[in-house]
Amino acid sequence: MTDWTIDSLAGAIRGGKISPVEATEECLARIRRLDPRLRAFITLDAAGALGTAKALEVEATAGRWRGPLHGVPLAFKDLCHVRGLPTSCGTRTPEYFAAEHECTAVGRLTDAGAITLGKLNMTELAMGPFGDNAHHGHVQNPWRPGHVSGGSSSGSGAAVAAGLCLGALGSDTGGSIRLPAACCGIVGMKATYGRVSRAGAMALSWSNDHVGPMASTVRDAALLLQIIAGRDPRDATSSGRAVPDYLAGIDRGVSGLRVTVPENFFFQGVDAEMAAGVREALRTLEGLGARLRESRVPDPQVMNDVCGVISRCEGAAVHTRLYRERPEELHPVVRARLDLGFRIPAHDYLQALRLRARLTRAFIAEVFAGSDVLIAPVIPEPAPPLAHATEGPIAELVQRQSHFSRLTRSFNGLGLPALSVPCGVSRSGLPLALQIVGRPFGEATVLRVGHAYEQSAGWHRRRPPLD
Amino acid sequence: MSEPQSQPAELANLAAAIERAGRDLALAEEPSRFIAALDAGAEEQE
């Protein structure tokens, strides 16, 4: 499965070169072989996946095609409500979350022909950027066991990188799609706030939550986004704005596109190899015709603080019952984060929401008046050892979490589209990554830049040394 | 339940950050203007 992309597998199935059952069996065999050590899955639905694959095979034989993902095996973060499967949200309780209807994004993918392999591991309640989970096992980085996978969509990152599935859904409240994508050497996209429905997915912070695709190439991420984007009556915050064709212009290149490289914040305190990898990628884009401009951007730490207040308060509200009734089930760090949410005054929460509006207007006006995208590192260093996420005093662990997600969080508050793309491998064999940030609803441009870089640099062809 | 030692400090830091940033917030500012900002700043579709 490691040689297929969603795009190529879907084409091969249409061309009769491989069947949905063969593709599914190959994924299941790989999961059985590798997942005992990777811990990417919480629930594997082998029987359900094979049943769907057989039905899709019959339909294909009869010339009936459900959509562009006909027969493509995917898996979903375990906070998406999928009919017939438990949703633990990374907690000890298998059926912690249930929604009236199936997660809209999942439903749109399966309506397009995708096969559900199962539910993917995640940080407890999606609270944490490393991917450790005491209940379901710490997800291992496929590039280097003993190192974090990134989180909170940890299983999604590891499963796609290891070729256990062709693509996955994650969710991103402070970086939870982009961080594991960066750590695991795959592509992850958080689209504009409201571009993808969150209905049927557990809320962590409704003001900052985004559901989005994770895949091995930018084209695959675009393909998945195309299917899940768009208005959903079940999510009042979803945008009614028309969804453009993300694949139509993806090959147009970057000639003449204006790229902001932030002078402040984003490269400060960043590991030298990581910074060098991103700067080398910028030179590649310049060589492809992009016009780079270094400039200061409005201080992202202000938005990080605003997001911190909003996320903690909303998270505490959502998970009050678990926190009050069964606090002993929660990891101490998660409990500490919820605890803080209960102590923040309502006045600060409301001021944070008001500030967010002003900061967003200012950022868009200052950065995108003379620029098409902004490019920065995603993570401050390559995936650290698991002990960095799990060992030490709670106060220090909370601090490390905050540090690791400091380059991604502001874009949740700003609601801007942000794409994580691999841009190299460190001397220790761990992926490097950059994020491409666009103006609101500028996903097509962001994907176009990511695709141009990826095709030129070729990092997407490298695979973790698992076989 | 034990409270991590950093919590009072973190709480105070967040409160101070909000206080600082919000000092000159316009009276007319309200949360819904965030969505309006995204719509107003949206990329033109080609």
Side-chain angles (χ1 to χ4, degrees), chain A residues 390-403:
Chain A
T390 57
E391 291 175 16
I394 292 171
E396 208 173 303
L397 294 177
V398 171
Q399 190 108 36
R400 287 180 204 157
Q401 289 193 350
S402 176
H403 179 77

Side-chain angles (χ1 to χ4, degrees), chain A residues 180-223:
Chain A
C183 288
C184 293
I186 64 163
V187 173
M189 181 155 209
K190 177 200 91 63
T192 308
Y193 183 81
R195 183 73 294 181
V196 176
S197 166
R198 292 96 44 86
M202 179 205 81
L204 169 57
S205 163
W206 52 84
S207 296
N208 291 319
D209 290 343
H210 300 68
V211 168
M214 300 172 74
S216 57
T217 66
V218 176
R219 182 183 290 279
D220 280 359
L223 182 56

Side-chain angles (χ1 to χ4, degrees), chain A residues 252 336 339 354 358 361 440 445, chain B residues 7 21 24 26 29 41 43 46:
Chain A
R252 279 178 45 207
D339 191 58
R354 295 173 73 225
R358 185 177 74 175
R361 279 198 309 277
T445 302
Chain B
Q7 283 226 323
D24 58 346
E29 195 64 83
E43 183 172 276
E46 291 171 27

Side-chain angles (χ1 to χ4, degrees), chain A residues 307-345:
Chain A
C307 286
V309 167
I310 295 171
S311 290
R312 280 166 177 77
C313 290
E314 294 180 357
V318 171
H319 300 294
T320 300
R321 199 164 157 198
L322 174 59
Y323 174 84
R324 299 256 194 248
E325 295 177 5
R326 306 191 306 278
E328 71 286 351
E329 287 186 13
L330 291 164
H331 189 281
V333 175
V334 173
R335 209 162 55 212
R337 287 179 59 147
L338 287 173
D339 191 58
L340 190 63
F342 286 106
R343 292 162 190 260
I344 294 172

Side-chain angles (χ1 to χ4, degrees), chain A residues 405-446:
Chain A
S405 61
R406 74 189 179 90
L407 306 178
T408 50
R409 282 205 308 278
S410 64
F411 299 117
N412 292 74
L414 293 164
L416 300 174
L419 176 75
S420 176
V421 182
C423 67
V425 178
S426 73
R427 279 190 299 275
S428 57
L430 286 158
L432 309 174
L434 58 84
Q435 61 182 331
I436 304 163
V437 181
R439 23 178 355 126
F441 300 98
E443 284 80 9
T445 302
V446 167

Side-chain angles (χ1 to χ4, degrees), chain A residues 129-143:
Chain A
F130 291 122
D132 53 306
N133 187 306
H135 310 301
H136 302 284
H138 304 322
V139 178
Q140 301 287 321
N141 192 306
W143 292 83

